[in-house]
Amino acid sequence: MLPPASHLLSLLLVLGTGGTVPSPWVPPQGCYVAEEAGERTFRCSQAGLSAVPTGIPNDTRKLYLDANRLASVPAGAFQHLPVLEELDLSHNALVHLSGAAFQGLAGSLRHLDLSANQLASVPVEAFVGLKIQVNLSANPWHCDCALQEVLRQVRLAPDTGTGIVCGPGARPDLVGQEFLPLAGEEELCGTGRGGAQRSTDVALLVTMGGWLVLVVAYLAHYVWQNRDETRRPLKPAPVLPVRSEDSSTLSTVV
């Protein structure tokens, strides 16, 4: 009597893997895969994670890593998730983002939550090319040029702007103040990224202005000098003495 087809399939799998059956992937403790509103979701909220977990299904559209102990996000941490639309990294201990932390997500990522972390500054490069809505509230921001440049790259999530407050590492006159009104009134990129070009432009304008002043001064001096020359009286032509030989010749001719 032939064994059932299921037994044959199991036998073939065992033989094909050298006598061992591969173990199915098991998510980290506290994490699970779910279907939410028809979209593949991977939840690892409050899972005690200290690093971004590996093995996240590459068809994940929503990834929740909130309320863990993540201190940094390395380069390319999510580049194997080509359809990821929403990423929640809130309520962690993030102090560092790599400039390539969101590499590979430019075409898909739409919502990013970085609130309630320990971020004082973030590299502008991390957000270049992303078309996202981001929550940056409840972080101890330095309120520097980098943050001002980031706000030019992204859109803030609704009702989160007031939560972007300058932390203890900011300039003393900025500590405790909301950043958005300051960013609208003051240019913080006088030097460094974004400010180098502006400084160069200002220096060029100053130089051109200096040359213009010199040219105008020279023309004014030239015109004034010519006017003085025209006002001076003409000198009478000098009378040349008549030589005696010329007088004798003239008498002879007469």
Side-chain angles (χ1 to χ4, degrees):
M1 183 176 181
L2 294 175
S6 59
H7 290 179
L8 286 175
L9 180 59
S10 299
L11 180 60
L12 290 174
L13 288 173
V14 171
L15 293 176
T17 56
T20 60
V21 178
S23 300
W25 173 76
V26 178
Q29 185 175 2
C31 303
Y32 63 91
V33 177
E35 291 286 337
E36 298 182 3
E39 296 184 336
R40 178 65 64 91
T41 302
F42 190 80
R43 286 190 174 272
C44 279
S45 304
Q46 301 181 10
L49 300 175
S50 57
V52 176
T54 59
I56 302 172
N58 59 13
D59 60 346
T60 298
R61 292 187 177 274
K62 295 182 179 181
L63 175 59
Y64 295 90
L65 299 176
D66 54 302
N68 284 287
R69 300 195 301 268
L70 304 180
S72 65
V73 178
F78 310 103
Q79 64 181 358
H80 62 292
L81 305 175
V83 295
L84 187 65
E85 297 177 355
E86 184 174 336
L87 175 59
D88 190 347
L89 293 169
S90 65
H91 295 87
N92 275 280
L94 292 177
V95 294
H96 173 72
L97 287 181
S98 166
F102 309 116
Q103 181 179 356
L105 301 181
S108 61
L109 192 62
R110 294 294 177 264
H111 301 278
L112 174 63
D113 195 342
L114 293 171
S115 63
N117 279 285
Q118 297 300 314
L119 294 169
S121 186
V122 289
V124 180
E125 294 81 3
F127 301 90
V128 173
L130 296 179
K131 306 298 182 183
I132 58 172
Q133 189 177 81
V134 62
N135 185 351
L136 298 173
S137 62
N139 282 281
W141 295 109
H142 282 169
C143 293
D144 52 8
C145 171
L147 182 57
Q148 194 170 43
E149 290 292 319
V150 166
L151 293 180
R152 294 185 176 122
Q153 297 281 344
V154 302
R155 292 180 298 114
L156 293 178
D159 303 320
T160 64
T162 56
I164 304 177
V165 177
C166 302
R171 276 173 19 198
D173 59 316
L174 302 182
V175 175
Q177 297 193 46
E178 292 182 21
F179 181 69
L180 288 185
L182 297 173
E185 297 174 359
E186 183 175 356
E187 177 55 65
L188 301 174
C189 295
T191 57
R193 179 181 177 86
Q197 183 61 45
R198 282 183 283 275
S199 297
T200 302
D201 293 343
V202 170
L204 182 60
L205 288 175
V206 170
T207 302
M208 292 177 63
W211 278 107
L212 182 60
V213 169
L214 289 176
V215 170
V216 171
Y218 173 78
L219 291 175
H221 174 73
Y222 178 79
V223 171
W224 184 267
Q225 187 178 28
N226 285 349
R227 188 170 62 177
D228 286 347
E229 290 290 341
T230 58
R231 287 180 177 179
R232 292 176 186 173
L234 295 176
K235 294 181 180 180
V239 179
L240 298 176
V242 180
R243 291 182 298 176
S244 57
E245 296 130 357
D246 294 340
S247 300
S248 300
T249 303
L250 181 59
S251 300
T252 305
V253 171
V254 173

